[in-house]
Amino acid sequence: MEETTLNTGARVRDALPPGACDSHLHLYDTAIIDAPAPPNPLAGCTANRYRALRDGLGLQRAVIVTPAPHVVDNRVTLAAIQTLGPADTRGVAVVFPDVTDAELRHLHDGGIRGIRFTVAIPRTAVTRIDMLPALAPRVHELGWHVQLHMTPAQIVESQSIIEELPCRIVFDHMARLADGPFDERAWAIVQDRLQAGKTWVKLSGGYLAADPASARAVARKLAAAAPERMVWGSDWPHPTEMPTPPATASTLDALEDWIPDAAQRKRILVDNAEQLYGFESASPRGKNAQ
């Protein structure tokens, strides 16, 4: 794949703090998984390709999320954790309720720290929200979280399920609250979960918003509600934006626009990710591993 296809482009305006983490990206490796083969140019988005991008941007840590085309085959994610370095890499897997305890332990030992339910785009969804009640208690025992990619309407529809989850919750892509007219009902649920103390939000996917101003407003509203439980992700290689993805560096520039305070950005990029994913502390004062 040509570098121009990856569209890394641009330059991050401010140097990133040590331990900065990209908490949301996807990898596709046809050398590991033959079918279903992802469409070009996603097929070239391997761990080695991402490492070059990560190093160029000044990022040090990564959280790989198994993409929908791989269904519940998490081999690419597990292999990439080893390639990028298990000390600085974690994964979010996709599983079905029939997953065995032995497989969950295998995933944990390989660096997986959560499972994802992506239902926001029904045509590509491989999981269902009604799978959550069976899986959540099992992953909770491992100290994992459930990551939810849902539209605001789906959040409202699934309120009772979400409120009863025993484990930590992570909402993808700002809970899609910036997609269109602001959904006060969904916001009330997200805010309530944030105040309950075990819910996190990924400040990612800003280009999915109705407009940049909407993304900025929602990101700032979320960060004001729970600054200690926001993390940032690039969503590389931006699969929803194919065949013309945005410059990846622009997603970091967007974070700088959303969160002007450098200390708060450091908290989002480093400290919060350490707590959620169990990385060693980047601070010389000690460790923060879970």
Side-chain angles (χ1 to χ4, degrees), residues 154-223:
Q154 290 168 334
I155 291 171
V156 173
E157 292 168 3
S158 305
Q159 179 177 2
S160 61
I161 293 176
I162 292 170
E163 290 178 343
E164 293 172 5
L165 294 175
C167 55
R168 289 176 294 179
I169 302 167
V170 179
F171 283 107
D172 269 3
H173 303 325
M174 299 188 283
R176 302 299 293 263
L177 287 165
D179 283 21
F182 191 74
D183 191 319
E184 294 288 352
R185 298 174 305 162
W187 164 246
I189 295 168
V190 173
Q191 184 181 41
D192 176 74
R193 294 297 86 201
L194 287 171
Q195 292 175 345
K198 60 180 183 180
T199 293
W200 303 65
V201 177
K202 291 188 176 184
L203 301 181
S204 60
Y207 43 73
L208 299 169
D211 58 68
S214 178
R216 182 189 307 111
V218 169
R220 290 181 177 179
K221 192 176 185 72
L222 287 163

Side-chain angles (χ1 to χ4, degrees), residues 141-158:
E141 291 181 1
L142 293 166
W144 295 8
H145 61 268
V146 295
Q147 184 172 307
L148 306 178
H149 183 199
M150 308 172 73
T151 65
Q154 290 168 334
I155 291 171
V156 173
E157 292 168 3
S158 305

Side-chain angles (χ1 to χ4, degrees), residues 9 25 31 57 65 67 82-83 86 93 95 97-98 119 128 131 135 192 255 274:
L25 64 112
L57 292 175
V65 180
Q82 298 305 310
T83 298
V95 299
D98 62 358
V119 298
R128 303 187 312 274
M131 296 176 176
L135 282 167
D192 176 74
L255 179 66
E274 286 176 357

Side-chain angles (χ1 to χ4, degrees), residues 24 26 64-75 77-78 91-99 103-104 107 112-119 124-128 131 135 139 144-147 149 172:
H24 193 99
H26 307 287
I64 304 158
V65 180
T66 297
H70 291 173
V71 193
V72 293
D73 191 334
N74 297 288
R75 285 178 295 163
T77 299
L78 290 172
V92 176
V94 179
V95 299
F96 290 155
D98 62 358
V99 65
E103 177 62 16
L104 289 176
L107 293 171
I112 299 299
R113 293 298 181 265
I115 55 174
R116 190 191 197 202
F117 293 80
T118 178
V119 298
T124 61
V126 299
T127 54
R128 303 187 312 274
M131 296 176 176
L135 282 167
V139 303
W144 295 8
H145 61 268
V146 295
Q147 184 172 307
H149 183 199
D172 269 3

